[in-house]
Amino acid sequence: MLFDVVILGAGAAGLMCAIESAKRRKNVLVIEKSKKIGEKIRISGGGRCNFTNINTHHSKFISNNPNFIISSLNQYSQNDFIELVKKYKISFHEKKLGQLFCDGPSQQIIDLLLAECNKYNARIEIDTSVELIKKDKSLYSLKLEDGNLISTKSLVIATGGLSIPKIGATDFGYLVAKQFDLKVIPTKPALVPLIFNDHTLAMCRELSGISIDSSVSFENITFKEDLLFTHRGLSGPSILQISSYWKENSSIIVNINPNIDYYKFLLDKKLSNSQLYIQNILSETIPRRLSSKLCELMEISGKIIEISNKKINEIGSVLNNWKLKPIGTEGYRTAEVTSGGVDTDELSSKTMMSKKHPGLFFIGEVVDVTGHLGGYNFQWAWSSGYVAGQYT
Ligand code: FDA
């Protein structure tokens, strides 16, 4: 059977590409390995799908070539997707930092994509696997698991990254890239909680459930968002964000309450209210359980008047400049995304098509483009899917 366009993966990017290709009256087939369509959309944003970010800009993405993203974002921006959401009368709100979430369940976004696929006659086959891909002159032929053979002029790889294998993530896209001799930037889990050695882990466990205002830095990158202690280590938006940049065997710097200069704050307290207990003073700015633990770790107690200025300086350094060395991440099991992927040098930024193999496209998370937390990853899926859909 011959198709104009075959898309592997019925996730955010694949469905967007299917809609756009079918709009152009192409004969489109989407092949999805799992039994469910758009499963990551369904579980995203705590079930409310953070479908884009009003501040989308190429600086919010990590890639070996950050400029690669500009063309896709120019061709299909956050405003274009917002218009589509409005057209389907899906109500939404800005949670914070430009992040747009559905008011209702994420399923609404899946329904929108399926309605558009239906409207333009893009066909979707679920629970179907591809065993073999071959290129015959200008056609790609695919052997399906059930033995059926299909051919297509355009083959779009939208199989996503390695995150959350439990719901169907596979390395299929990277294997196809390698089969066609395209470079793949080594992958790693990103937007993922960090784990620590026994000593720090014990502290995290004791503080599990506490969320604090923080800024977390690695090298010259800083994110100012909440940090969460968990029974496995550290999580929360600031940690997830920095995990995408963190490199093994290096430390991160945590600034607890970045708006407070603790050295100055404690010195002022010593002058103005010298009979206050240090633990009570710290509890004015952080949860009591955390202030007790920090006092224990720094071996401080008693009234502020009894604490030397040198020690106050040390306390300030710990609170505003806390050096912590993760031993790793929680891995693909909980990572929101996979960084690395098909090297953008191999693709045209204007079309998402392989430079070496006309008719072969890669879109979405399988490509070496990773967004920050906050709706940017879906925007990349919509934008890259849209772009490929114009050139299939
Ligand atoms: P995606 O993974 O969505 O789709 C790939 C599809 O291909 C899947 O359906 C898979 O089953 C299928 N597939 C795999 N191998 C195949 C094969 N061999 N043949 C056929 N099909 C195959 N982002 C964001 O912007 N806002 C948010 O709120 C969230 N929230 C969030 C929560 C959680 C828990 C996770 C894990 C991730 C997020 N993300 C997110 C990230 C976002 O989900 C992700 O970036 C996009 O889903 C990527 O879209 P893709 O279409 O590229 O891959």
Side-chain angles (χ1 to χ4, degrees):
M1 210 169 177
L2 176 65
F3 290 89
D4 294 323
V5 185
V6 169
I7 300 165
L8 302 187
L15 293 173
M16 184 52 115
C17 181
I19 295 162
E20 291 303 317
S21 303
K23 256 186 207 172
R24 293 172 45 242
R25 300 188 180 280
K26 301 282 174 177
N27 179 12
V28 178
L29 173 68
V30 185
I31 295 178
E32 168 58 50
K33 187 181 67 59
S34 76
K35 290 193 173 77
K36 290 186 180 158
I37 290 167
E39 192 56 1
K40 274 203 188 152
I41 302 174
R42 195 183 59 77
I43 62 165
S44 68
R48 293 273 185 266
C49 189
N50 177 195
F51 57 81
T52 192
N53 193 300
I54 51 180
N55 302 321
T56 300
H57 180 266
H58 71 278
S59 61
K60 304 287 185 184
F61 295 85
I62 306 166
S63 168
N64 257 14
N65 176 11
N67 289 339
F68 179 85
I69 302 141
I70 298 172
S71 174
S72 289
L73 295 181
N74 283 345
Q75 291 181 64
Y76 192 84
S77 73
Q78 62 275 35
N79 297 325
D80 294 313
F81 194 75
I82 293 167
E83 278 312 305
L84 184 60
V85 170
K86 283 183 180 164
K87 196 173 125 195
Y88 275 79
K89 301 198 175 3
I90 299 173
S91 58
F92 61 89
H93 60 279
E94 180 186 343
K95 199 165 175 187
K96 58 175 182 174
L97 304 169
Q99 302 166 3
L100 300 188
F101 283 75
C102 296
D103 292 345
S106 309
Q107 184 64 39
Q108 292 171 290
I109 299 291
I110 303 174
D111 293 344
L112 173 164
L113 296 166
L114 291 181
E116 289 280 292
C117 282
N118 204 23
K119 183 167 153 192
Y120 298 106
N121 298 319
R123 188 173 136 194
I124 305 174
E125 291 289 339
I126 58 164
D127 202 11
T128 304
S129 291
V130 174
E131 273 191 351
L132 198 71
I133 301 177
K134 278 203 320 204
K135 190 177 172 188
D136 299 322
K137 296 191 182 122
S138 60
L139 286 184
Y140 292 86
S141 22
L142 282 68
K143 185 175 173 215
L144 306 183
E145 182 190 41
D146 58 10
N148 275 339
L149 291 175
I150 54 172
S151 300
T152 179
K153 293 174 196 156
S154 294
L155 176 63
V156 183
I157 309 298
T159 47
L162 296 167
S163 317
I164 324 273
K166 205 172 68 185
I167 59 162
T170 69
D171 60 356
F172 190 85
Y174 311 117
L175 296 178
V176 176
K178 284 177 186 159
Q179 178 191 336
F180 286 94
D181 205 21
L182 307 184
K183 282 188 286 216
V184 175
I185 305 290
T187 58
K188 69 175 186 112
L191 298 181
V192 60
L194 296 175
I195 58 172
F196 294 86
N197 65 16
D198 291 351
H199 183 66
T200 313
L201 177 62
M203 176 196 71
C204 292
R205 284 197 172 136
E206 270 183 61
L207 300 174
S208 179
I210 291 180
S211 173
I212 51 166
D213 192 11
S214 75
S215 71
V216 180
S217 307
F218 176 71
E219 294 177 344
N220 57 351
I221 309 284
T222 298
F223 289 98
K224 189 174 174 300
E225 289 187 57
D226 291 348
L227 173 151
L228 177 70
F229 293 91
T230 75
H231 61 281
R232 290 200 213 100
L234 292 181
S235 188
S238 61
I239 292 292
L240 298 183
Q241 297 276 34
I242 213 70
S243 74
S244 302
Y245 290 89
W246 175 74
K247 296 189 190 104
E248 274 182 36
N249 297 317
S250 31
S251 299
I252 55 169
I253 303 292
V254 174
N255 184 346
I256 298 175
N257 277 330
N259 297 331
I260 300 177
D261 176 338
Y262 274 98
Y263 176 57
K264 196 168 166 305
F265 172 74
L266 293 174
L267 277 187
D268 286 349
K269 287 284 180 191
K270 191 172 174 179
L271 287 174
S272 63
N273 218 338
S274 61
Q275 296 305 308
L276 286 178
Y277 284 84
I278 178 73
Q279 196 183 318
N280 292 342
I281 297 173
L282 292 179
S283 299
E284 288 174 24
T285 64
I286 51 178
R288 179 162 283 278
R289 262 201 296 154
L290 177 58
S291 74
S292 304
K293 189 71 206 170
L294 288 171
C295 288
E296 183 192 315
L297 288 174
M298 293 183 281
E299 297 175 337
I300 46 169
S301 60
K303 294 176 180 168
I304 184 91
I305 187 77
E306 293 155 4
I307 301 177
S308 70
N309 287 4
K310 187 168 166 243
K311 189 73 188 173
I312 288 180
N313 191 17
E314 273 175 37
I315 302 169
S317 295
V318 170
L319 285 151
N320 289 130
N321 210 9
W322 196 9
K323 200 170 170 186
L324 289 167
K325 192 168 179 184
I327 54 166
T329 73
E330 284 188 11
Y332 292 117
R333 190 179 58 81
T334 58
E336 271 200 18
V337 284
T338 302
S339 74
V342 178
D343 193 335
T344 54
D345 279 354
E346 301 281 8
L347 308 173
S348 152
S349 62
K350 191 177 157 216
T351 65
M352 300 304 294
M353 189 163 71
S354 157
K355 291 176 187 168
K356 285 184 198 148
H357 301 283
L360 179 64
F361 297 75
F362 289 83
I363 55 173
E365 199 178 317
V366 73
V367 179
D368 171 37
V369 172
T370 307
H372 287 181
L373 188 77
Y376 300 106
N377 284 298
F378 276 135
Q379 187 57 47
W380 168 245
W382 314 134
S383 296
S384 59
Y386 172 93
V387 165
Q390 310 309 308
Y391 295 94
T392 44

